[in-house]
Amino acid sequence: MGTVAVAVTDGMLHFELSVAYEVFGSDLSHVADPWYRVVTCGPGVVRVGRFRVEPDRGLDQLSRADTVIVPAWADVDEDPPADLVDAVRAAHEAGARVAALCTGAFVLAAAGLLDGRRATTHWAHAQVLAMRYPRVEVDPDVLYVDNGSVLTSAGKAAAMDLCLHLVRLDHGSAVANTVARRLVVPPHRPGGQAQFVSSPVPAQENHPLAELFPWAIERLDHPLTVEDLARQVTMSSRNLGRQFRSVTGTTPLQWLLTQRIRRAQELLETTDDSVDAIAEATGMGTATTLRRHFNRTVGVPPDTYRRTFRSSRPGLGLPTARRPAAGVPG
């Protein structure tokens, strides 16, 4: 939490810059107080895409931030500016959490922050990143990668996923979902690893399963089967599986499981219900089953998750404490 510094310099792309500013820069203190304080840091007036941006502070001020966001870098064939690379490295050394959006990963790689770490970027540039920085374990198949104090995302929409993931880490599920609703985007998409956000929900509404999703989510306390879902939309189980794969990228049972985990996360954050009660409310049956799936999916047991993300006020999902370097699952 605290100060979020968005690094800006010539050659960055405006979309990812705008995403970061929309998520962290809007005043949402009525949702979570304190909210973030956002500043832009750059070497002077810069051109971002087709726009001229006058930063609030110099690049040297990145090291005073709690979180540093590095938007996408336009020309991956050129090395990013040395002053930007040095400032990002200094910020991380000072204890900042550093997140790169899309090809901003090239800046982090140039700073040495990705050496020996798993990272991602836009799939079209993943091979270039891997070839130029062989000490980086580049994974082109995921939406984002969370290494605790260093995070990277794939392109465009995945930048939003990563920003919402950061909000979720800092403020919990309920607040992240509120931010997503305000921006009219899905609150959860899988990062491709065991992490605190894992619920594929398609953004579009003009697909054959549009009415099935809310129907199923309202009945998570029931032991739903693939046949139940197929019957609801008058499809064969095989056709339902094809539709699910096309729309969500996963299977019906996996989608149901992630929805149950999501519901369990919210109940752990916002209620005093026992793990047994939450297991029943989410259709998991027993606390043993919930603990097994929750630990495997989220990376920590339900009790640990509750202690980390327990609401300080009902419905807000504020964590009691959080320092990104302290071993976020990823």
Side-chain angles (χ1 to χ4, degrees):
M1 284 181 272
T3 300
V4 173
V6 182
V8 292
T9 188
D10 287 329
M12 285 187 167
L13 300 177
H14 65 274
F15 180 87
E16 287 78 4
L17 172 62
S18 301
V19 165
Y21 210 88
E22 274 296 317
V23 172
F24 302 108
S26 300
D27 182 8
L28 294 178
S29 55
H30 62 288
V31 176
D33 189 16
W35 190 245
Y36 304 96
R37 185 166 62 94
V38 177
V39 296
T40 54
C41 297
V45 178
V46 299
R47 182 165 292 280
V48 177
R50 298 181 180 179
F51 304 98
R52 288 169 60 85
V53 176
E54 183 174 357
D56 303 308
R57 301 176 181 176
L59 282 173
D60 61 316
Q61 297 299 299
L62 287 179
S63 61
R64 300 174 64 89
D66 298 288
T67 298
V68 172
I69 304 294
V70 182
W73 177 248
D75 192 354
V76 298
D77 294 325
E78 298 289 335
D79 292 332
D83 55 351
L84 172 64
V85 172
D86 292 342
V88 169
R89 184 189 301 114
H92 185 258
E93 290 174 351
R97 174 177 61 182
V98 180
L101 308 182
C102 191
T103 50
F106 282 80
V107 178
L108 271 59
L113 302 188
L114 300 181
D115 288 354
R117 286 188 165 115
R118 181 165 165 262
T120 193
T121 188
H122 193 291
W123 62 267
H125 305 295
Q127 185 174 4
V128 175
L129 181 66
M131 291 176 62
R132 188 174 303 168
Y133 303 100
R135 297 185 63 185
V136 181
E137 182 187 343
V138 179
D139 188 342
D141 298 322
V142 297
L143 293 179
Y144 54 86
V145 175
D146 183 343
N147 288 300
S149 64
V150 179
L151 305 93
T152 52
S153 83
K156 302 304 178 186
M160 178 69 76
D161 294 317
L162 179 55
C163 289
L164 289 173
H165 175 61
L166 292 175
V167 174
R168 182 173 301 277
L169 290 176
D170 293 338
H171 292 289
S173 298
V175 172
N177 292 347
T178 298
V179 175
R181 284 193 297 271
R182 187 183 67 84
L183 296 172
V184 198
V185 297
H188 297 71
R189 287 211 298 169
Q193 57 180 342
Q195 53 194 328
F196 287 116
V197 56
S198 182
S199 282
V201 179
Q204 72 272 22
E205 297 181 354
N206 57 339
H207 57 79
L209 307 180
E211 295 182 2
L212 178 63
F213 292 134
W215 179 88
I217 288 172
E218 290 176 1
R219 293 164 175 79
L220 291 178
D221 56 332
H222 291 62
L224 296 174
T225 65
V226 174
E227 289 72 22
D228 293 330
L229 299 179
R231 189 160 42 248
Q232 181 63 23
V233 288
T234 321
M235 290 183 185
S236 67
S237 297
R238 179 174 295 182
N239 187 26
L240 180 73
R242 286 195 295 265
Q243 293 292 341
F244 254 90
R245 180 66 67 180
S246 174
V247 173
T248 72
T250 189
T251 66
L253 287 180
Q254 183 59 45
W255 183 87
L256 274 174
L257 175 61
T258 53
Q259 298 304 317
R260 297 186 197 282
I261 296 296
R262 173 191 171 192
R263 177 68 57 80
Q265 288 175 298
E266 294 177 350
L267 292 174
L268 287 166
E269 292 178 27
T270 60
T271 75
D272 295 319
D273 293 352
S274 67
V275 175
D276 289 281
I278 292 174
E280 184 176 351
T282 57
M284 293 286 193
T286 67
T288 300
T289 301
L290 172 59
R291 287 192 173 96
R292 182 175 69 253
H293 287 297
F294 196 96
N295 199 5
R296 184 173 60 190
T297 303
V298 178
V300 295
D303 295 331
T304 301
Y305 183 90
R306 170 171 267 166
R307 285 195 298 271
T308 303
F309 291 102
R310 188 68 175 96
S311 301
S312 62
R313 286 181 291 168
L316 288 187
L318 301 177
T320 56
R322 177 71 186 176
R323 191 58 189 163
V328 177

